[in-house]
Every structure is written in C-alpha cells, then in structure tokens.
Amino acid sequence: MGEDLRFPDGFLFGTAASATQVEGHCAQSDWAAFAREPGRVRGGDTPDDACDQLHRFREDVALQARLCMGAHRLSIEWARVEREPGEFDPATWDHYRDVLGAHREAGITPMVTVHHVTLPRWVAQRGGLLSQELPALLSRFAERAVEALGDLCQLWITINEPNMLALQAHLLGVWPPARSSPVEAVRAHQNLFRAHAAMYRAMHEAAGRRGHSISVGVAHHLRVIEPERFGRLADRMWAALFERLFNDAFARAVCDSGLHDFFGVNYYSRDLVRFSPAHARAGFLRRLVPEGAEVSDLGWEIYPEGLGHVLDAWWPRARVPIYITENGIADADDDQRPRFLVRHLAEVARAIERGVDVRGYMHWSLLDGFEWAEGYAPRFGLVEVDRVTQERSPRPSAELYARIARARRIDADGPGGARSERGAAPA
C-alpha cells in the first residue's frame, strides 16, 4: 500500500498572486515606470494590462471556486489607493471591498498583503526603501487598509519577501531603483523591518478600534543554502554568511520581537554556494544548481525536500502557526507542475504529522502573470492566460490540485505519486 497522506480539517488549500502581477491598469507605481525603461524587463514587457484582473476578478473568483480552492492570497496596490501623499481614493477601497466580498461569498478565505514589491512613484521619489519616512508611510497605509477592509479579512501580511526585495533592488540591481550597493541593501533590509514593526502595531490598533479580529504576519522568502564544495572553507563560510544575511536576519528579528501572529513561508528552491572573486557585484557569491538536477523553465532546482527542511528549522523559532504563502514552478508545458505539486504538498503533510502547525498552502500562482524583470515568459499559473485574448484555460495541474483539495489527501507512494519518477498522484 502507498503512503496515505492526509490534511487536517480546516487546512486551507489556495493560490497566491499580487496586484501588479495580475490586475493591470495602474500607471502610478515605480514598476509601471521602470518597466518602460529599455532593457529592464525581458522582451520589453510591462504590467500595463497584466491579466486584467482589475475588471475580471469575479471571473477569477468563480474559477477558484470551481477548482475547490478554500483560500486566496492577494495584495492591495498601494499606488492605486494613495496616488498622492495622504490622498486615499474611496472608490479604490470600494473596489477591494468588492474583491474580498466576492471571495467570501464563494467560501474562499482571503489573505491580504499590504506591501508586495511595488511603491507609489511619489514614495520612490522620496527615497523608496531607504527613506526614513517609509515605516511611517507604510504603517499609515496599513492602518487605513484595516479600517477599510478589516471586517472582510482576518489574515494579513505586512510585507512580501523583504529580503528578496532588498537584494533585487539594492544589491543585484534588477528591480527599481536598480542599485548595486551592499550597504544600501543592508539599510533597506533594516528599514523594512522597522516598517513591519510599525505596520504590525498600527494594524492591530486599527483592528481593536473597529472591533475586528485579525492575524498579521510576514511572507518570508526562505531557501535551502548549502556550500557547493564542503571541503572548501571559503564555500562553507560564504554559504553560512548568505544563510545568515538572506534567510535568518529578517525572519529571526521578527521571531525574536514577537511581532507576528503567524509565520509565512515562500519556498521555491535550493542554492549551492561558491565563493567567487569574479562575482564581486553579488558579494563574491555564486549560486549554482547541482549537476544533473531537475530544473524549472527558469533553471531553478526542483527540491521538494527543502520545504520540509525549512518547516522543521523554523517551526521551533517561529512559535506561531505557519502558512505556506508561496510555492510554485515556472512550467509552460505543465509537464513538471503536477509532480511538483504532489511532492511539495507531501512534504507539508509529513511536517504536519511531525507536529509542525501548518495551517495552509498557497500555490504560486493562480494565473500566468507579470513576473517582474522576467516579464510574462515564465508561466507559473495553474491557469494559462492567453496574452492576446486574456482567456483563462485551467491546466491539468489545476484539476489535480482541485482533486487533492477536495479529498484532503494524497497517495504519495501510489502510481504517479510523490515518490515516483513522473506524473502526479491521484487523489
């Protein structure tokens, strides 16, 4: 008999997305301007139309319901709500109330991210992530969001992947403002923690005034990080340094402060780290994939065991419930995603059996969206989106995920299961 893995009652199966990547029609953000600069985004793509979810959200909610999704993680476009400093648009708040209301009416639990990568252009012009005003500005926005939407949403995320944001924007220079300064990257990282702390307090205060019950956390991007050559001291040292600065710094600060009600995990892959004098811009660090490893369309190693490692490592530190807030694969042909889904969900189920309090899994993503500097080329969606017609077409992996969510179980050892070489487990 195969290994029968079950999920507890109340476990949330869902999907994740962010406003800029799927909504479209927002010219006021830093990314709207950045994407128009030559060479910034693959293929010259822009988020101008994205998936047109601004107008098609009811269609997408109905699609989630048909796929048996019990939760959806989405974000609020700050640049759409506060187009000028201190001027909050009531019509936009009404729109997001409609979006959350549609999810709730469909029996789908919303999880709202307040800050997901993008900034209003006026915030970017004031210094962006390095601005001393950022914690106050973000906490004001977060407070207004809870006041406007707190009766419709209980699960909130302050900031998505602060470590990745600081790295991409201020060290690797591939996101706005496209800087390459280790000092700036550290400063941005620290400023984002100050912003999270201010947001957490402001959101709970606003909820208390309105009589709302909310839970607030961060979506942490966590990777498995190992030295490429264990016998090389430099590789071990740089792997430990990368682990400390990328994985540990922000997440540990949040855990030590107690300023979280749940711990969000965004998990995608593993990095083998080599000390490399030729990679000074990246801190003399080169990230590699094991020879012969299965990789996604983006060349990322597919390493499901890493999700189990991350959960085991952070559960004792977090001391709060855990949600998988992102996990997914760029796979245009959908020939890897079914097995990817089953193998990662199996890691979650096994972690729960070991006593890790995992409450939900949000697959990245529902739709093929705008993937930042990679444009629309990577296809992360359970649902294919035609770039010309915007037609939505569920892939086979979407139907598999629906069966798993409906049954709340997977047969990890059965034909096509998590331990087989190809295919996907029947639910």
Side-chain angles (χ1 to χ4, degrees):
M1 293 182 63
E3 181 186 12
D4 188 19
L5 297 171
R6 297 180 180 272
F7 294 87
D9 292 341
F11 184 88
L12 295 175
F13 294 93
T15 52
S18 84
T20 293
Q21 294 176 272
V22 296
E23 285 182 350
H25 314 290
C26 181
Q28 294 81 23
S29 76
D30 57 344
W31 263 95
F34 184 74
R36 288 186 172 84
E37 296 178 11
R40 295 299 193 187
V41 177
R42 182 177 176 181
D45 292 341
T46 74
D48 291 359
D49 295 326
C51 303
D52 194 30
Q53 196 176 79
L54 185 73
H55 303 116
R56 296 172 179 257
F57 70 89
R58 294 189 189 279
E59 174 186 350
D60 291 338
V61 170
L63 187 55
Q64 293 169 58
R66 187 175 77 75
L67 294 174
C68 303
M69 295 295 94
H72 183 62
R73 179 184 166 212
L74 62 147
S75 74
I76 307 167
E77 185 66 81
W78 186 8
R80 195 188 305 280
V81 177
E82 190 180 3
R83 301 181 185 187
E84 298 294 337
E87 297 181 10
F88 295 88
D89 181 36
T92 303
W93 287 131
D94 288 343
H95 167 76
Y96 283 116
R97 287 192 64 83
D98 289 343
V99 171
L100 296 182
H103 282 88
R104 287 171 60 93
E105 288 170 9
I108 299 168
T109 298
M111 175 183 279
V112 171
T113 306
V114 177
H115 180 252
H116 197 125
V117 177
T118 61
L119 297 170
R121 202 171 303 177
W122 60 267
V123 175
Q125 292 168 349
R126 293 186 179 188
L129 301 183
L130 302 180
S131 171
Q132 293 184 351
E133 296 180 277
L134 185 71
L137 293 174
L138 265 173
S139 63
R140 180 179 68 181
F141 175 52
E143 178 182 17
R144 294 294 186 92
V146 171
E147 289 176 346
L149 308 172
D151 61 321
L152 297 174
C153 180
Q154 192 263 331
L155 296 172
W156 292 81
I157 291 170
T158 55
I159 302 171
N160 180 73
E161 298 187 351
N163 53 353
M164 184 63 75
L165 182 55
L167 177 76
Q168 299 284 72
H170 287 276
L171 182 62
L172 300 182
V174 294
W175 291 0
R179 304 277 294 175
S180 297
S181 166
V183 172
E184 285 189 6
V186 170
R187 286 176 54 205
H189 211 182
Q190 293 172 337
N191 209 28
L192 284 165
F193 176 74
R194 287 190 286 269
H196 161 73
M199 294 166 76
Y200 178 88
R201 295 186 179 101
M203 293 167 76
H204 273 290
E205 289 171 2
R209 290 194 302 269
R210 296 298 179 97
H212 304 323
S213 176
I214 65 171
S215 294
V216 181
V218 177
H220 303 279
H221 185 118
L222 299 172
R223 305 178 72 81
V224 172
I225 298 170
E226 299 174 355
E228 186 206 11
R229 301 162 294 185
F230 280 92
R232 294 290 298 271
L233 176 61
D235 286 4
R236 295 200 308 271
M237 289 177 60
W238 250 247
L241 180 63
F242 187 36
E243 176 87 36
R244 181 173 181 179
L245 294 179
F246 186 82
N247 272 355
D248 287 1
F250 196 102
R252 187 179 291 277
V254 172
C255 292
D256 290 347
S257 71
L259 297 175
H260 64 168
D261 307 315
F262 64 85
F263 188 87
V265 172
N266 291 5
Y267 173 78
Y268 287 94
S269 188
R270 168 173 67 166
D271 289 321
L272 298 186
V273 170
R274 173 189 290 184
F275 171 73
S276 173
H279 289 73
R281 177 178 173 182
F284 303 102
L285 181 149
R286 184 181 178 192
R287 295 187 288 166
L288 302 162
V289 171
E291 185 176 352
E294 183 184 7
V295 298
S296 72
D297 291 351
L298 284 172
W300 301 353
E301 181 188 6
I302 299 171
Y303 188 62
E305 301 91 330
L307 179 54
H309 298 333
V310 166
L311 291 173
D312 287 342
W314 283 96
W315 164 239
R317 307 182 202 180
R319 302 186 299 275
V320 292
I322 295 175
Y323 289 89
I324 309 304
T325 40
E326 287 183 28
N327 174 241
I329 179 173
D331 176 23
D333 295 333
D334 204 47
D335 57 351
Q336 295 173 294
R337 188 176 292 105
R339 186 163 173 261
F340 179 99
L341 256 170
V342 172
R343 295 177 69 197
H344 284 82
L345 281 168
E347 291 293 332
V348 175
R350 294 183 188 117
I352 292 172
E353 288 183 348
R354 294 193 296 270
V356 181
D357 186 8
V358 187
R359 302 284 180 91
Y361 171 92
M362 311 297 158
H363 189 77
W364 187 275
S365 179
L366 176 68
L367 306 174
D368 292 332
F370 177 78
E371 292 292 335
W372 309 117
E374 295 293 335
Y376 295 101
R379 296 303 184 106
F380 278 89
L382 291 163
V383 176
E384 181 179 3
V385 178
D386 186 293
R387 293 298 315 139
V388 177
T389 67
Q390 295 287 358
E391 181 181 0
R392 276 80 160 137
S393 302
R395 294 185 164 105
S397 56
E399 304 297 342
L400 167 67
Y401 190 28
R403 294 198 302 273
I404 293 172
R406 187 183 306 115
R408 311 189 75 78
R409 60 175 288 275
I410 52 177
D411 181 358
D413 284 328
R419 296 182 182 177
S420 68
E421 289 305 311
R422 297 184 62 83

